Amino acid sequence: MSIFFYCLAYAAVIAFVAIAAMRIMGYLKKPQHLRWELYPVAHESAERVEYGGSYLEKVDWWKDKYHSSIVGALKGFLEEALFLKATWEHNRPLWWRTYPFHVGLYLLLGGMGMTVLAAFGKMAGFEGFVIFCTCVTVFCNVVGFGGVLFGAVGLIQRRLCDAGLRKYTSNEHFFNLGLFGVYALLGLVLCLGYSAWDFALMGNAFIYGMLTFTAMDVAPLYALYLLIGFFMFFWVPYSFLGHLFMKYFTWHDIRWGDEPFISSNKLQNQLANNLNLPVSWRASHIKGDGVKTWAQIATEKQD
Amino acid sequence: MKSSQELTFKHVSSEDGQLCTLDVNKLRPMPVEYETYEWKPISDAQKDQYCCLLDDINVLLIPTPKTIAEEEEMVNRFLEGVRKLFTPENNWTCLAMLDTTMDYCAQCNSCSNACHLYEMSGEHEMYRPNFRSELFRRIYKQYVKKEPLAKWRYGDIDLNWKTVVRLAEMAYRCNLCRRCAQVCPIGIDNGLIARELRKLFSQEFGWSPRELHEKGTQLQLQVGSSTGMNSSVVQETVEFIDEDYVESTGYEFKTPWDVPNADILLIHNAGEMLAWPDNIAAFSLIFEAAGLSWTLSSEIAGYDSVNYGVFYDDVQAARVAIKHAQAAKKLGVKKIVIGECGHAHKALTVIADRILPKDLNIPRESCFPLLRDIVLGGRLKLDPSRNNFPVTLHDPCNLVRLMGVVKPQRDVLHAIAPMFREMTPHGVENYCCGGGSGFAIMTRNNINEWRMNITGRKKMEQIANAFSDCLDPSIKKYVCAPCSNCKGQIRELLQENNLLEKNGMQYGGLVELIVNAMTEVEPGFIKWEEE
Ligand code: SF4
Ligand code: SF4
């Protein structure tokens, strides 16, 4: 039984990495898209970010080197990731529910990271480090479960009671929120049942077992908790919850993607390829036959 | 018909006849005297001939299918179009944005309140930014992507010909202002979905508003301008404008045409030449007074910066952008400067940037930084006291939110308009004028009523609020709208409601204000009477 659990655990980790990689690669493999930026663009100069300006505000802008501030981009991204700034500004009632939910998830992820570190510490024989990691895990688990449970219940309530939101809430939303809610509830019950410290040690032992390929017995309730966790490893990257990592592209590559053609050879090559793609749109002003290229269609003489 | 509260996705395919209507008498009152525009009834003949199935407005005039086979053909062709929309070959331009918008929306509805159509329609479900997107998303996932358990996960949608024609019409209940996208926490873009749908229906079915296609891009590609003016007519027109304004301003200037190797090719929205010749004259006057090396082009499309393709069709957008670049290349100019037209700015600087091949990628810039440098650089003799009246600034979405050109026009206004005041909100958070995405040039089939009642309502409210301290008609005030389409829409808002007479509100571009302040020009360039 415990071997089976460990196999599932490996499968869950592999599924997460594989599905996330597939989605990211799927995005990166797409042809270079048109510029579709929205201002403010966070990697502009601080002064321009303040009011939403761009390098296009300068005469002969192409004579300057294209500049993209990593610090600015990071600041813009962290503000959104850590504080859910857009939701705070534009959907406050939701923020009070979704913020604890997201912070709870971040903490649980952090707790998981600490559990992995503790397992490495144990392998290396650093007892003090293991204790430190376990202390952090206890904090992350308790606050994380609390946040996720509060957020999940709050979001379900909001989706049920807000008439506008209700129409847009599908079975999948309830399923997702229910899943996270049950997971967090089980986590809290286990923390109460075994003590938060012992619960963290169970996590340490499980991950240690995974890293050293030594299966250990798993209590039934803990097994259920793990099963839900494994499923989420597969489900998060598969479903719309994948925005967890795809948001990097929607913000960084699309919303802030202002790099001009003139400054990048790579862009120039990609765009040259695009113009050679075949078109098959059927309308009479295009008459794409799947052979004629964009370049040909865009330059052919009109009837 | 379904009320806003009743309306759900299922009704889009299940209901016969017109799906919903808006009670225009319940719209939010305005801070100034403003008319209510009752919907004109749709005649039985029209209902018979065309699919009038969504609301009181009919942008596309899609012929009603007469047989079951025709209905099925519509659905099949739609599905074929959706499939193409998701192939890199047919939609390399937007596939990345489309795919992420399809897959990662959290349905949080944070975008709803950002949309002026949703707000000013009294939060009608039909005009919620996400209504159209989510309907399309569910269809895509169930019928094209065929996701496992899609019906259970997202809700079952019946796809029939009514769904198709309603979706097509819904694509034209959006100004493509992308204010909704700006507030989205995930980076999902409902404006993009409206445009992708417009593309699908234009590129696959050939369904598009005639103002944008036949009388828009097609006419421009064939004749040279969507106004219908060919090269010789346009040169004559500008010659007349020069003569008129030399006489009225007392300032000698002549607009140069086809000057080889000039520094600047200036491309106007040719609509200005017919509707607002003062804008054309003001540009010529400023550029001549500043001593620039510049020219207009008489090449096909080289004298009309309009590119309606950006509103509905990627192929047409590419064709027009290429014509613009070819005109510049032929003359050997150093750069293209785009006159006061927001969508032309975005089309030629931002969108065309990833369409034009290297040999045609001639540098292109907005006129506003140049005007700022001319004004602040002291290249004109200006007396700001000539503009001593309240001025507010409308921010064209294409120029500001979608291009980040925010400050130059404000620098000019701060220098020449002592009573300049901002609207709330402004800059990148501005609201669309209501004419965006092509509506400014459409009036038929209740589109005018749609613009006056709904799409332009927020802008009108903003304008009135910006002037709330001086609504008295004796105080002349100026709405600076540096974009042809926005100006067209604001003209309708003000003129249809007689607001020049009632509240002293006039509108115009930025260059007109600059010339109005030039001491070498006879005072009174801006006229305060209805022309
Ligand atoms: S588009 Fe963005 S803001 Fe609107 S519902 Fe989707 S995730 Fe929320
Ligand atoms: S793009 Fe503008 S008009 Fe269209 S849905 Fe979004 S906010 Fe509304």
Side-chain angles (χ1 to χ4, degrees), chain A residues 91 94 165 168, chain B residues 101 104-112 129-130 133 137 180-181 183-190:
Chain A
N91 199 345
L94 205 75
L165 217 47
Y168 293 80
Chain B
T101 286
Y104 300 108
C105 173
Q107 309 297 337
C108 66
N109 279 346
S110 303
C111 48
S112 303
N130 196 21
S133 308
R137 195 176 280 122
C180 51
V183 306
C184 175
I186 295 177
I188 302 306
D189 194 333
N190 292 304

Side-chain angles (χ1 to χ4, degrees), chain B residues 115-117 129 132 174-180 191:
Chain B
C115 177
H116 56 296
L117 309 188
R132 164 185 49 236
C174 168
N175 280 124
L176 307 186
C177 73
R178 297 178 62 211
R179 200 170 190 273
C180 51

Side-chain angles (χ1 to χ4, degrees), chain B residues 461-491:
Chain B
E461 189 181 79
Q462 278 195 292
I463 294 171
N465 286 338
F467 293 134
S468 60
D469 59 333
C470 54
L471 284 172
D472 190 283
S474 65
I475 307 170
K476 299 300 176 209
K477 49 200 83 74
Y478 188 87
V479 184
C480 176
C483 163
S484 293
N485 283 331
C486 303
K487 225 155 47 178
Q489 166 73 2
I490 290 171
R491 172 185 59 195

Side-chain angles (χ1 to χ4, degrees), chain B residues 105-288:
Chain B
C105 173
Q107 309 297 337
C108 66
N109 279 346
S110 303
C111 48
S112 303
N113 291 334
C115 177
H116 56 296
L117 309 188
Y118 180 64
E119 182 185 350
M120 297 320 257
S121 64
E123 305 194 343
H124 196 291
E125 199 59 44
M126 175 61 77
Y127 310 118
R128 196 194 279 276
N130 196 21
F131 187 78
R132 164 185 49 236
S133 308
E134 181 56 10
L135 177 67
F136 182 51
R137 195 176 280 122
R138 291 184 184 190
I139 293 171
Y140 167 66
K141 293 193 170 181
Q142 188 175 333
Y143 293 91
V144 175
K145 203 175 176 197
K146 299 195 167 97
E147 281 192 7
L149 304 174
K151 282 188 200 174
W152 179 83
R153 286 167 67 190
Y154 311 114
D156 189 9
I157 299 281
D158 180 22
L159 177 61
N160 56 31
W161 70 278
K162 289 180 286 186
T163 329
V164 174
V165 295
R166 284 183 176 132
L167 202 52
E169 201 51 47
M170 268 183 224
Y172 288 89
R173 298 299 179 276
C174 168
N175 280 124
L176 307 186
C177 73
R178 297 178 62 211
R179 200 170 190 273
C180 51
Q182 195 183 37
V183 306
C184 175
I186 295 177
I188 302 306
D189 194 333
N190 292 304
L192 172 98
I193 294 297
R195 186 172 179 275
E196 291 297 285
L197 286 169
R198 289 180 181 198
K199 271 166 54 179
L200 187 165
F201 289 109
S202 174
Q203 296 174 183
E204 188 65 12
F205 287 79
W207 294 348
S208 50
R210 59 176 181 250
E211 294 86 347
L212 298 185
H213 189 68
E214 287 89 349
K215 294 178 176 178
T217 52
Q218 287 296 79
L219 193 58
Q220 189 178 14
L221 291 166
Q222 281 151 11
V223 180
S225 164
S226 57
T227 58
M229 286 191 286
N230 65 23
S231 159
S232 52
V233 173
V234 85
Q235 288 185 72
E236 266 173 43
T237 308
V238 172
E239 217 171 286
F240 285 135
I241 294 174
D242 285 356
E243 282 168 18
D244 274 4
Y245 283 86
V246 166
E247 198 186 315
S248 66
T249 60
Y251 190 93
E252 273 302 324
F253 68 92
K254 187 162 170 37
T255 302
W257 283 92
D258 298 321
V259 181
N261 305 317
D263 287 349
I264 293 169
L265 165 63
L266 174 67
I267 315 188
H268 289 294
N269 176 324
E272 300 271 347
M273 296 170 189
L274 304 177
W276 300 285
D278 45 341
N279 184 276
I280 303 293
F283 262 105
S284 297
L285 215 149
I286 293 168
F287 278 24
E288 287 295 293

